[in-house]
Amino acid sequence: MAMSRRLLLGSAALLAAPRTLRAQSRKLDILSHRVHQAVLTQGAAGDLTEAWRRARNAEIGWTTFDIGPLQDRLLREASLPQTDYGVGYLLNSRATAQTANLLEPLEDHLRSEPIEALDDIAPGLRAAMVVGGRTIGIPVRHATNGLFCNMALLEERGITAPPTSFEEFLDQCRRVAGRRSDGPPLAGLVMTAALAAYPVIFARAFGGDFITEDYRLLPDHEAMVKAISAIRGLFESGGLPRSYANITNEDQATWLMQGRAAFAILPFARHAQLNRPDQSRFAGRIQAVEFPVSSTAPAGTRMATTVEFWSMSIPRNARDKGLAWSFIQAMSSKSVTLGAARNGNGPVRVSTYADPGFAAENAVAAIEAAALSRARIPFPAFPEANRAEAIFVEEVQSAVLGRKTPAQAVEDTASRVRSLLPA
Amino acid sequence: MRSGRLFIRLGKAVAVALILLWSLAPIALILSSSIKPEREIFAFPPSITFTPTFVHYEALWERWPDFFHALVNSLIVTVLATVLAVAASLCSGYAYSRFRGHWIDSSALFLIAVRLIPPIVCTLPLFPVANALGLQDTHAWLAALYATFFVSLGTFVMRAFIDQIPKELDEAAAVDGAGRLRTLFRVVAPLAAQGMLAVAVFVIVYAWNEFLFAFIFTSTRARTAPLVLAEIVGNFDGVEWGVLFAAASVQLAPVLLFVWVMQKHLVAGLTAGATKG
């Protein structure tokens, strides 16, 4: 067959057609955890991205990973000359100066296309996303820790209400420890020894801390000594299980739902799951309260529980930053925040908790809102934060297991961690 | 004397039972947990009797549809990697078996060295390369990587098999006018089929379960099943253990079945050349 000019042009047009069609709609690639995708696309409030997709004539490509791999991939993509990913979800503990260099500063975007009622987003979370004077992420999801109690097991020991003070909490842990009425062993509190957040909560109950947001290490040694002594006391009295050092983060929910422990410290967002009849042996009997403050804490001390949160960020090398920002702007609006909360997200806006519909659907909304208003991250992000956490965890474990005194563990933590802090 | 023999037999039986328990208990745990009601999975004390349920498989189908898409990707990558690795191992095994010389002996050392390199050393520098070449998130790239890491082992397995094939057959083929390639594919390859199967088993088991390369080099299009499994484990709204065990069972089943069917060749591959004088 002879190749005519008409045939050649026709063929070229046919080959080019898909590209032309593709060019009509833009694509935003997002790196996130599956939960982030689910709360924006599935659930009681439906697909919350639909309006934005229509308005922008854009499609979304979600790439989801587990937490560690997600952060690794985001930073790796951001270190390339250019990346297709427009939005990446960033965990608060990764918001270091090094990370900030790889992400787009958002000030210009915030000025030109502001986010609706930005001040409504919890101030502590926004502040943690300002690194070196630059905003690198907009908070979108939080997990604030509360104290969960298995009321059925407490009632077996004649305890009718959750503890209102730290001392009462310790007492209840000791009282329930032993065996359940049907035989199996029962711990007072199940708590993983692998994370710093838990001893930090204990320290804050005494007005202390591990590393403050302005990088002061162990601002109140005495409070930390009391906190570690309390954990050690629980371990020695059976209030903590003998396998304390091997308990994993996920064990905590499992133990509480299976009735192997009466208390656990978990994100408030787990309340619904812990009370689901298909998952929990004590469905409907697991309550959540704020972690209580010690009566020996300085006057006026209010509990500042630990919170971890996610933010939406834009890699500095992203191809289409305008589209990425418009997504962040839309997903941070009041209405979408409320919708995502109805889909199971931990809302970062204070106003969401005030919504009557949301409060009616969420049994712990009021308690969580109060806890969130004072919550702080376990410790600030810095390059050696992982090592600092590992040292602290190791020292706490040594003290709890009786290998050194709590006071010695605190002194050793101070001397080992000091050099790791940013200058 | 007789009681001594009985004692030895009993000892052997106990040892085999212990090994079986050690090997099969995790598999039994995964399979049984996949059909237990969620609240029974980690019940304490453990529940031995329970009413089987397939809700976790249904939930896996409904909530993690991409797991099945990833399984298809795993299959594509595994088949490609196996074909590549077996073909390359056959050729190189033939070369090592039939030719001698300084360079070919030296290159054998290089092949062993490749096996000693931890994969993570190669992955990160390759990431920008794959991006620049447009190979990121493609089946072909993943298959090529898997095959590359198995060609060295495959070569030695194939060499051991081909060593057992008399060279006189090559010579007879040459007399009949066959070239090297024709001799390799028409004469040697059919006789070395068991070795090729042994190499295939190694590559299939590796490629089907591999995580690191898949994690670094895939996003959506070529994402393999182990990545989705890791995601199910890492759900921070609470791990759906039943769904996780169902997914693990689905992931486990084909490779378990394949290894069971091919176990004869796997043993042959492991012992190839062992009795060579």
Side-chain angles (χ1 to χ4, degrees):
Chain A
M1 187 177 74
M3 176 65 79
S4 68
R5 196 166 44 178
R6 189 172 293 169
L7 183 63
L8 185 70
L9 287 173
S11 305
L14 270 174
L15 283 170
R19 284 168 186 259
T20 314
L21 287 173
R22 272 203 301 272
Q24 285 173 357
S25 81
R26 294 155 87 185
K27 187 178 180 201
L28 175 66
D29 284 300
I30 299 175
L31 264 176
S32 76
H33 193 282
R34 179 174 292 258
V35 169
H36 300 133
Q37 179 190 1
V39 297
L40 285 179
T41 56
Q42 300 161 17
D47 185 351
L48 302 164
T49 66
E50 193 181 354
W52 176 82
R53 284 189 283 118
R54 274 207 198 133
R56 293 280 167 172
N57 189 24
E59 53 178 310
I60 299 174
W62 295 91
T63 302
T64 58
F65 288 109
D66 186 13
I67 301 170
L70 164 60
Q71 298 303 274
D72 175 82
R73 184 59 177 270
L74 171 61
L75 301 185
R76 209 150 21 90
E77 287 286 341
S79 63
L80 292 170
Q82 194 165 50
T83 180
D84 288 335
Y85 290 102
V87 173
Y89 279 69
L90 183 74
L91 195 58
N92 60 279
S93 59
R94 305 297 176 104
T96 63
Q98 284 82 351
T99 303
N101 288 332
L102 298 171
L103 300 175
E104 171 84 348
L106 301 177
E107 272 72 19
D108 287 346
H109 299 285
L110 279 165
R111 266 191 296 274
S112 58
E113 292 176 87
I115 283 175
E116 177 189 6
L118 185 66
D119 292 347
D120 186 30
I121 296 176
L125 311 192
R126 275 188 290 125
M129 280 296 116
V130 180
V131 180
R134 291 172 297 182
T135 302
I136 59 166
I138 303 298
V140 69
R141 175 190 175 89
H142 76 92
T144 301
N145 281 314
L147 179 65
F148 284 80
C149 332
N150 185 325
M151 290 311 297
L153 297 176
L154 294 183
E155 284 164 10
E156 276 186 13
R157 300 291 201 273
I159 301 165
T160 54
T164 53
S165 74
F166 183 78
E167 287 70 24
E168 195 183 352
F169 163 60
L170 294 183
D171 178 57
Q172 290 187 2
C173 281
R174 291 192 192 99
R175 280 171 62 190
V176 296
R179 290 205 167 265
R180 257 171 24 199
S181 58
D182 56 341
L186 173 64
L189 169 71
V190 59
M191 183 172 81
T192 177
L195 297 174
Y198 297 97
V200 166
I201 290 177
F202 273 68
R204 288 182 185 171
F206 290 98
D209 212 338
F210 172 38
I211 302 171
T212 62
E213 281 158 318
D214 54 355
Y215 300 104
R216 281 185 300 131
L217 175 63
L218 295 163
D220 182 345
H221 279 221
E222 191 55 36
M224 186 57 83
V225 171
K226 284 180 184 172
I228 298 175
S229 300
I231 301 172
R232 180 170 168 165
L234 277 178
F235 182 70
E236 287 171 346
S237 65
L240 279 174
R242 301 307 298 168
S243 56
Y244 156 74
N246 297 320
I247 298 285
T248 66
N249 198 18
E250 199 47 49
D251 285 339
Q252 300 177 114
T254 306
W255 279 49
L256 194 66
M257 288 190 288
Q258 291 295 333
R260 295 179 68 181
F263 291 99
I265 302 166
L266 291 165
F268 283 104
R270 288 286 191 97
H271 182 265
Q273 183 214 357
L274 296 173
N275 284 292
R276 274 175 54 178
D278 62 324
Q279 297 207 353
S280 176
R281 288 188 157 195
F282 294 89
R285 300 310 319 274
I286 296 175
Q287 282 189 19
V289 293
E290 274 198 77
F291 196 87
V293 174
S294 168
S295 55
T296 64
T301 301
R302 298 197 68 191
M303 187 62 207
T305 189
T306 54
V307 59
E308 300 275 8
F309 68 96
W310 290 90
S311 297
M312 292 181 284
S313 62
I314 303 174
R316 201 183 275 254
N317 56 353
R319 278 185 213 277
D320 196 343
K321 293 174 190 171
L323 189 67
W325 177 253
S326 77
F327 176 83
I328 292 176
Q329 189 194 30
M331 296 306 119
S332 300
S333 70
K334 279 186 172 183
S335 61
V336 172
T337 304
L338 176 62
R342 291 184 60 219
N343 285 351
N345 197 40
V348 294
R349 285 183 177 275
V350 178
S351 64
T352 307
Y353 288 99
D355 181 83
F358 178 66
E361 285 175 14
N362 186 344
V364 292
I367 304 165
E368 187 177 12
L372 176 64
S373 67
R374 295 184 300 276
R376 298 198 303 267
I377 52 178
F379 48 89
F382 56 98
E384 295 282 13
N386 284 348
R387 278 178 67 196
E389 180 179 24
I391 289 169
F392 178 54
V393 162
E394 178 193 322
E395 292 295 340
V396 171
Q397 285 187 24
S398 295
V400 172
L401 299 176
R403 293 185 186 150
K404 57 173 69 172
T405 64
Q408 188 61 52
V410 172
E411 288 309 314
D412 290 348
T413 301
S415 63
R416 294 174 68 192
V417 171
R418 189 163 292 120
S419 61
L420 303 177
L421 293 174
Chain B
M1 194 68 181
R2 205 170 160 182
S3 66
R5 272 208 301 271
L6 190 69
F7 185 74
I8 289 169
R9 286 180 70 178
L10 192 68
K12 280 181 181 172
V14 170
V16 169
L18 283 174
I19 291 167
L20 280 177
L21 185 71
W22 177 263
S23 311
L24 296 180
I27 295 171
L29 177 79
I30 289 171
L31 295 176
S32 66
S33 298
S34 74
I35 52 169
K36 270 186 180 180
E38 183 88 26
R39 52 189 269 179
E40 298 295 323
I41 292 173
F42 291 115
F44 190 82
S47 52
I48 306 296
T49 56
F50 57 89
T51 311
T53 172
F54 289 94
V55 290
H56 305 312
Y57 289 91
E58 287 168 24
L60 178 68
W61 181 260
E62 283 165 12
R63 292 206 286 275
W64 297 85
D66 46 340
F67 175 71
F68 297 94
H69 178 64
L71 272 180
V72 174
N73 286 336
S74 286
L75 184 68
I76 294 169
V77 170
T78 302
V79 169
L80 279 176
T82 307
V83 170
L84 260 176
V86 170
S89 301
L90 174 68
C91 296
S92 55
Y94 181 70
Y96 279 105
S97 173
R98 295 298 193 248
F99 301 105
R100 288 287 174 274
H102 172 71
W103 290 109
I104 202 160
D105 291 346
S106 307
S107 66
L109 269 178
F110 175 75
L111 273 182
I112 294 168
V114 168
R115 288 295 300 171
L116 300 177
I117 297 173
I120 189 76
V121 173
C122 312
T123 49
L124 292 179
L126 278 176
F127 180 70
V129 175
N131 260 293
L133 295 175
L135 291 169
Q136 182 74 14
D137 206 15
T138 60
H139 299 103
W141 179 248
L142 213 52
L145 285 170
Y146 293 165
T148 304
F149 268 81
F150 254 85
V151 162
S152 52
L153 178 70
T155 298
F156 289 114
V157 171
M158 287 312 300
R159 180 195 165 165
F161 270 94
I162 296 170
D163 276 348
Q164 293 167 16
I165 299 169
K167 282 183 186 167
E168 288 75 10
L169 289 177
D170 296 32
E171 290 160 7
V175 168
D176 288 346
R180 280 286 177 198
L181 276 180
R182 183 173 285 233
T183 305
L184 172 60
F185 290 116
R186 294 289 173 86
V187 179
V188 176
L191 294 171
Q194 200 178 29
M196 290 157 71
L197 270 172
V199 174
V201 169
F202 285 122
V203 183
I204 286 168
V205 172
Y206 170 75
W208 186 257
N209 295 314
E210 202 279 338
F211 178 85
L212 183 67
F213 286 128
F215 161 56
I216 302 280
F217 295 110
T218 68
S219 302
T220 48
R221 290 189 300 271
R223 182 140 92 149
T224 56
L227 294 184
V228 183
L229 274 176
E231 242 192 285
I232 301 175
V233 180
N235 192 340
F236 48 64
D237 268 354
V239 179
E240 296 175 285
W241 292 107
V243 174
L244 175 63
F245 284 121
S249 302
V250 173
Q251 160 82 7
L252 188 65
V255 83
L256 209 60
L257 191 70
F258 182 78
V259 170
W260 182 63
V261 170
M262 293 292 170
Q263 56 179 313
K264 188 173 70 179
H265 305 292
L266 188 65
V267 174
L270 287 168
T271 56
T275 54
K276 206 177 124 198

